[in-house]
Amino acid sequence: MTPTQLKAFSAVVRLGSVKEAAAELNVTEAAVSLHIGTLRKELGDKLFTRTSAGLAFTPGGLRLARRAIEMLGLQDRTIREVSQAGRGRRLLRIASSSLFAEHAAPGLIQLFTRRADDLDVEMIVCQADQFQSLLDSRAVDIAIGPNPVNLGTALVATPFLNFQLVIVAAPDHPGLATMAEPSWLTEQTWLLGPAAVGDDSVMARALAHFAVPDGQQKIFQSNAAALEEAKRGKGVALAVAYTVAGELTGGRLVRVPDHGLAADAVWNTITLAGNGVLPAASELIRFVAMPRAIQAMLRGSGVNVGHFRPYVHVTLWS
């Protein structure tokens, strides 16, 4: 089987149509059908049949669909690695949760890349439920964040940093006198960063705990922006405890009782099971648990632009 055949089959699986696959690949439907026919002959499996409801894939077709994504991802990765080796550079691609990317990644990446002048880091921010597909397709080499809800045997998660979320508000926030009542939090305007979006988020679990209506939630482009609004008395905010310790000590924020919220969480490194982990990813897994790496994450120093190439992702809010 060839990469071209696998690309054709993968497109058919993803789009559910030979016609749409041909349009995406900019080839004729006959060309896609020819590639599928060759795969059927070589593998001795129909792969899929057409029904009135669409395409029905055989068990073998479903297995090939998964393997095709992995094989194409490995092909892209091999091309990149060969090119990088020729230029004397290595690239580590990381998928990160929003909270980790904002509050811990800069210090970690700065210290980690300082150890290796030939290493560049590329990071994409996403929800934890996207980690597996990104790792499966080899779009990233390692993921960092909370454990995916349905962590299967295909992934290995290694915990390295515990943290706690706290609820904070401005010291002059109206109504603080009644904040000891659990219902007070349900009625407040919650000022949130992008980490609140997604069922995998510890912030989302907090909102569910207090049954906060959608109309009482305001999402900002970053958790830092949400905290700035909280300091102005516009509502309450959820924050990683160590990031607001100075604000609480200085009296610019006050902590609101959490009324039984399970606010402890942990960040993990997550990779594919087996022996396919890049050496740079293995190095990072060992490095994140070191005391100096933990301190770098807690301090949150900036990243040298020469080693960090962020993956650009744009979200449009309406």
Side-chain angles (χ1 to χ4, degrees), residues 38-262:
T38 302
L39 286 173
R40 283 171 166 164
K41 183 176 180 180
E42 180 178 349
L43 298 173
D45 193 297
K46 285 187 176 182
L47 302 180
F48 64 83
T49 57
R50 290 179 173 84
T51 70
S52 58
L55 300 182
F57 290 88
T58 67
L62 293 175
R63 180 67 61 87
L64 178 61
R66 179 180 176 85
R67 293 300 185 200
I69 293 174
E70 294 178 2
M71 293 165 73
L72 292 171
L74 283 172
Q75 181 194 29
D76 291 340
R77 176 170 140 183
T78 301
I79 292 171
R80 264 193 304 270
E81 288 177 352
V82 171
S83 175
Q84 291 160 13
R87 301 193 311 271
R89 305 295 304 171
R90 294 183 295 156
L91 175 64
L92 178 64
R93 297 163 301 162
I94 301 173
S96 170
S97 67
S98 174
L99 272 181
F100 183 83
E102 183 171 348
H103 295 303
L108 174 66
I109 293 172
Q110 198 277 336
L111 188 61
F112 184 65
T113 55
R114 189 190 299 168
R115 304 162 64 251
D117 290 337
D118 66 332
L119 180 64
D120 295 323
V121 174
E122 180 179 284
M123 186 169 69
I124 178 174
V125 179
C126 62
Q127 295 177 19
D129 59 7
Q130 296 175 278
F131 287 168
Q132 174 136 19
S133 62
L134 290 168
L135 289 164
D136 279 343
S137 65
R138 274 51 175 196
V140 299
D141 307 305
I142 186 171
I144 304 181
N147 257 345
V149 174
N150 298 313
L151 181 69
T153 57
L155 299 182
V156 176
T158 305
F160 65 89
L161 181 61
N162 296 311
F163 66 97
Q164 183 183 45
L165 285 179
V166 294
I167 308 169
V168 296
D172 59 351
H173 186 285
L176 279 183
T178 59
M179 68 179 177
E181 301 173 9
S183 61
W184 184 82
L185 282 166
T186 303
E187 300 164 357
Q188 296 307 302
T189 297
W190 286 67
L191 310 167
L192 307 160
V197 181
D199 294 336
D200 59 285
S201 168
V202 64
M203 285 192 171
R205 294 199 298 272
L207 296 172
H209 177 79
F210 294 111
V212 181
D214 289 348
Q216 297 296 108
Q217 303 175 31
K218 289 188 176 181
I219 309 295
F220 293 81
Q221 70 270 27
S222 68
N223 297 294
L227 279 174
E228 287 301 315
E229 283 296 286
K231 291 177 191 175
R232 299 186 181 99
K234 303 295 185 181
V236 299
L238 277 166
V240 177
Y242 72 79
T243 67
V244 294
E247 308 282 2
L248 293 172
T249 301
R252 292 178 291 277
L253 289 170
V254 295
R255 185 168 174 177
V256 176
D258 57 25
H259 297 290
L261 171 66

